[in-house]
Amino acid sequence: MATPRLLIPGLYELTLPMPLTSVNVFFLLTAEGVTLIDTGYPDHGAGVLAGLTALGRTPAEVKHIIVTHHHVDHAGNLAVLQRYTQAQIWMHPADADLVAQGQCLRPTLHGSPGLFNRLAFSLARMLLPRTIQPARVDHLIADNETIPVAG
């Protein structure tokens, strides 16, 4: 199992596997508790919890989960981690509605620009899940809003 890597004092990065690549989850440790940034690919919740344990922290210490966007590699474990931690969930409203419905792909009306992007998007649509376990979002983050974490 991967161990979180110290980036700067109080901020750790955990790299988790996903098909064809990997994804990072971040732990922000403060006196108030732990803030988790993103949750990783589905079925890797145990890896996130193991990373938390490796840092000497417990699920009860996770006070906030910030999800940067709704894609499967960022919100995939949100529902599971929400149950284990009882943390408050923060997300932009454009993505929060999709996560509440269990969606991790936004319907698109146009293709990605460039041949490589079109091929990568097509491959991702074939290999990656289109749904995740629905999850509750407690706080909708507005543009230019400051999230009250770490001062």
Side-chain angles (χ1 to χ4, degrees):
M1 184 56 60
T3 302
R5 179 175 68 98
L6 179 66
L7 297 177
I8 59 173
L11 181 64
Y12 292 82
E13 172 187 62
L14 176 66
T15 301
L16 296 169
M18 64 175 282
L20 303 178
T21 187
S22 61
V23 65
N24 296 319
V25 172
F26 299 89
F27 300 93
L28 178 61
L29 310 182
T30 67
E32 295 81 30
V34 178
T35 296
L36 182 63
I37 303 170
D38 288 331
T39 67
Y41 195 75
D43 299 327
H44 287 82
V48 175
L49 293 173
L52 186 64
T53 300
L55 294 173
R57 300 299 184 106
T58 67
E61 292 178 85
V62 178
K63 304 301 180 194
H64 305 279
I65 299 176
I66 300 169
V67 183
T68 58
H69 60 286
H70 73 287
H71 287 165
V72 66
D73 54 330
H74 295 264
N77 290 305
L78 182 57
V80 169
L81 294 172
Q82 194 171 50
R83 283 193 298 274
Y84 278 98
T85 66
Q86 300 300 309
Q88 294 290 297
I89 311 304
W90 297 78
M91 192 173 211
H92 192 276
D95 291 336
D97 288 341
L98 293 168
V99 167
Q101 297 169 32
Q103 299 299 312
C104 57
L105 280 178
R106 185 179 312 283
T108 59
L109 300 176
H110 52 80
S112 300
L115 179 60
F116 176 78
N117 287 336
R118 283 195 302 275
L119 291 173
F121 182 73
S122 295
L123 183 61
R125 286 183 66 92
M126 288 188 299
L127 295 177
L128 300 178
R130 294 177 185 219
T131 60
I132 57 174
Q133 289 182 38
R136 166 193 95 248
V137 175
D138 302 300
H139 302 280
L140 301 178
I141 304 170
D143 291 344
N144 299 315
E145 180 177 357
T146 300
I147 301 170
V149 174

